[in-house]
Structure formats: C-alpha cells, structure tokens
Amino acid sequence: MSWHPFAAALAAFTSLTSAAAQAPVPVPVPVTDVEILDLQNERHDRMTIEVMIGEEGPFDFLIDTGAQATVLSRSLADRLELFDRDSATLVGMATTQIVETTPVADFGLGSRSFHIRTAAVVDGVNIGGADGILGLDTLQDQRVLLDFGKKTIAVAEASQLGGNNGFEIVVRARNQLGQLIITNARLDGVPIQVIVDTGAQGSVGNMPLLDRLRRSKVIGGSEMTDVNGGVLAGDVRLGRQLELGRATVNNFPILFADSRPFHTLGLSNRPALILGMAELKLFRRVAIDFKSRRVLFDLPAGVALESRGDFGRFGT
C-alpha cells in the first residue's frame, strides 16, 4: 500500500541543556483565573495557540507537551531584537545540536506572564513555519486541557477545570525531567511506557518495542525532520491495539526509529512509544495534569478508537 511521508519539520520533543537553563519565573496571577484559549488548526493539522511577547503579537506557537524547552523561530527572535544570545544543547527527535538561546522577559499566555531565562532559537522551517513552541517550562504545576470538540485549550489548576469529572479514563504517570510518562499501557500485548506528545503529528516507537513486535505488518518507510533540521528515518508498522487503562486505540501507524528522546528519558532499553496528535485527537478531550501526574481521557461515542494514519509533509 502507498504511504504518505511521516510529518517532517516536527517540533516533537526538545530538551534544552545549559548551565544557565532554568525554569521560567511566572508573574503571579489571581488563583481564580482560568485560561481558555482558542486552538487553531495549523496548516499541517497540528494545534497552535496565540501568545504575546511584551506588547508584540499575537504569535502562533505550537503546543508541545514533548518539548521541555520553549523555542522561538529565528525570524521572530530577530524581529523582536532579542539579541542577548547564549548557547545550549538542544535535543531533537533525531539529533543533538548546539543552538543559540535568548531570554524572553515578558512571555504572555492569556493573563499569565513568564520570564523565560533560556529559550532556544531555531530556524522556522524546522518547526513548520510556526513562530515558536510552547514547551513544558511554561506548563509545569498546571493542568493542560485539550478539548478537540470545542477546539480550545485551558490552562489552570485541576480544581478550577472541574477536577476529574467527566473523564472516563484517568491514568497515572511518572515524572521524568518534567515529562509525564504513562507506565500502565500495552501495545499488542506488550507492556510499554507512553510519552504523550502534542508536538508530534504521529507516533514513534523505539527499537526494544520493535524487537517485541517483529511480526507486525510493515506498511512502508518514512522519515521526519526534527527541530534541529536532522532527519529521522525508519520503517512504519501497524500497531493493532494500544491499551491506555480502559481506553483502546486500534490500527494506527508507528514509525520505528532510535530516537534520541528515548535515551534522554532513560527509555532506550525498554519498549516505549511517543503518542502523537493523530491518535490523541481521536479522543474528545485529553487533560495532562503535571501537578498530580495524571493523564485523563474523555472518550467519544463508540467503544474503541481507530486511527486513519493520515500524515502530511512540511515544506514545498
């Protein structure tokens, strides 16, 4: 069967390492504030939200729960004259590279304002032409609620968003370098670790998982370009059933490759999967609660979920 190339220019999973790298400093806002922001369908069917930087904007930033660091496109950093540059190591899906960084003094997400001490600066083509990536450094201790039916994202304390009411599936996760990893999951009967990554258009499996699923059907080969411009290539196989607690996702494509995030998170020797947006959007709502270390799923009508595996490619 024919296979559309796996999403290139993926922002998915960026990790920033620097002696100067620190979490952003939030400017306190009233506890009653709940940010409900409109999700926009970015041209490659990923989700973006609008942010302000100082008095400038709004700018379109990708929502990436697999990215530890906030990222700015080089054109935006230059436009805002953020020339107080340093350097740090940026870990992408395929490569590790020294990149420029810059502080962002007034990064606005709704009514919240952050001082980001170290934001990576990358070429815009490597993040699909977006203005930047909203990373985990701006989302810690919050619940991020993606409502695909209403096309909104809410960022607030869990109690302000109704707690766990209305969610059929609540899955515990562990925290590793700020990233939530679901440990109670199985793929085709194999126990796996799952990283929920809203910056990845599709799902990526590691080599230990491939070793356990050698009999799975190969449906093609593909590649992706990471935030550094490096290329990750591998075979695409069909995952027949992913179990996340009581929820299942059936028949979805997985690119298998020795991706660097698995090593960064200590998952290079055990079966693991990066779960991308193509599968997350099959749910009505997904909540990622960093404070309580839980991922919550609200099922649509129907018993099981099936992915179409419909991917596109960035660039011309």
Side-chain angles (χ1 to χ4, degrees):
M1 63 182 291
S2 62
W3 179 251
H4 297 288
F6 202 90
L10 213 49
F13 205 101
T14 55
S15 175
L16 192 62
T17 304
S18 169
Q22 300 181 50
V25 178
V27 176
V29 296
V31 71
T32 56
D33 285 350
V34 177
E35 306 300 345
I36 300 179
L37 306 169
D38 290 334
L39 285 170
Q40 302 172 30
N41 283 316
E42 192 254 348
R43 65 190 178 98
H44 299 292
D45 205 29
R46 292 180 298 168
M47 295 297 184
T48 63
I49 58 174
E50 294 182 342
V51 305
M52 299 290 294
I53 298 179
E55 300 297 322
E56 301 288 335
F59 303 110
D60 292 331
F61 272 59
L62 300 169
I63 305 160
D64 194 345
T65 58
Q68 291 178 317
T70 292
V71 172
L72 302 182
S73 70
R74 187 175 305 281
S75 61
L76 178 59
D78 291 347
R79 171 183 167 182
L80 297 177
E81 299 183 347
L82 299 174
F83 296 127
D84 182 13
R85 305 283 173 90
D86 204 335
S87 63
T89 301
L90 187 64
V91 180
M93 291 289 279
T95 58
T96 298
Q97 185 170 307
I98 301 297
V99 299
E100 289 186 319
T101 65
T102 183
V104 183
D106 189 6
F107 185 94
L109 176 62
S111 65
R112 287 175 168 80
S113 181
F114 301 89
H115 178 187
I116 300 175
R117 293 192 177 98
T118 309
V121 178
V122 303
D123 292 335
V125 67
N126 294 336
I127 53 175
D131 293 313
I133 300 170
L134 190 67
L136 294 176
D137 51 2
T138 59
L139 301 174
Q140 290 300 309
D141 297 325
Q142 300 289 310
R143 171 174 289 190
V144 178
L145 173 60
L146 295 162
D147 191 321
F148 297 111
K150 295 180 180 178
K151 293 187 177 180
T152 61
I153 179 173
V155 181
E157 294 283 342
S159 60
Q160 296 173 261
L161 296 174
N164 297 349
N165 293 333
F167 289 95
E168 289 90 347
I169 311 297
V170 180
V171 183
R172 292 182 180 273
R174 65 181 177 89
N175 185 296
Q176 182 73 14
L177 299 178
Q179 174 69 57
L180 293 187
I181 301 174
I182 297 173
T183 57
N184 182 25
R186 301 176 73 88
L187 178 64
D188 295 349
V190 177
I192 63 170
Q193 315 273 299
V194 176
I195 304 161
V196 177
D197 190 346
T198 60
Q201 189 172 351
S203 295
V204 180
N206 67 358
M207 304 317 288
L209 180 57
L210 176 61
D211 289 340
R212 298 289 297 275
L213 299 176
R214 287 292 183 183
R215 295 183 181 180
S216 61
K217 183 179 180 181
V218 178
I219 56 178
S222 196
E223 64 182 28
M224 63 193 300
T225 303
D226 73 3
V227 69
N228 293 319
V231 176
L232 183 72
D235 287 337
V236 177
R237 294 174 181 258
L238 187 67
R240 297 197 176 278
Q241 186 175 77
L242 172 65
E243 301 172 62
L244 297 166
R246 294 183 293 107
T248 61
V249 179
N250 295 329
N251 299 321
F252 65 102
I254 304 169
L255 172 67
F256 283 94
D258 188 24
S259 183
R260 291 186 180 271
F262 295 120
H263 296 270
T264 301
L265 292 172
L267 298 174
S268 58
N269 296 318
R270 65 184 78 175
L273 177 76
I274 295 172
L275 187 66
M277 283 294 288
E279 286 64 61
L280 293 175
K281 287 173 67 177
L282 296 172
F283 296 92
R284 190 171 73 88
R285 295 185 303 163
V286 176
I288 304 166
D289 195 315
F290 293 99
K291 190 172 184 178
S292 68
R293 301 180 183 179
R294 286 174 170 82
V295 182
L296 305 90
F297 300 93
D298 189 5
L299 300 178
V303 177
L305 303 170
E306 184 162 345
S307 175
R308 295 178 302 167
D310 188 12
F311 294 95
R313 186 182 183 90
F314 296 119
T316 57

